Amino acid sequence: MDAEALKFIGVGLVMLGATIGAGFGLSRVFSSWLEGIARNPSADTKLSKIGFIAFAGTELVLLLGFVVAIMTLNA
């Protein structure tokens, strides 16, 4: 195989792992968030802050995977 082809395969694997990980992470964040609000509705404001921070952290993983993939293509 050509080195250029292997580079594209590697980039695809990086993005596949990042998107699957982010998808599982987001589903866990939102399911736990909604479950916590359902169990204790009075803690909605506190849980909302924590939920948005967890959402941002999970999306950061996806964006970092994308950055690594782009950097790999340019290397």
Side-chain angles (χ1 to χ4, degrees):
M1 271 194 149
D2 188 16
E4 189 73 20
L6 289 175
K7 187 189 302 187
F8 285 116
I9 291 172
V11 168
L13 290 175
V14 166
M15 285 307 299
L16 183 67
T19 54
I20 289 174
F24 283 137
L26 284 172
S27 66
R28 297 241 343 158
V29 164
F30 284 114
S31 68
S32 298
W33 187 6
L34 291 175
E35 184 179 338
I37 290 173
R39 288 177 184 245
N40 188 5
S42 64
D44 182 31
T45 56
K46 183 177 180 182
L47 289 176
S48 292
K49 292 177 187 176
I50 295 170
F52 283 124
I53 291 171
F55 170 75
T58 307
E59 283 296 317
L60 178 66
V61 171
L62 178 61
L63 290 174
L64 287 175
F66 178 71
V67 167
V68 167
I70 294 299
M71 288 174 60
T72 305
L73 280 178
N74 292 331

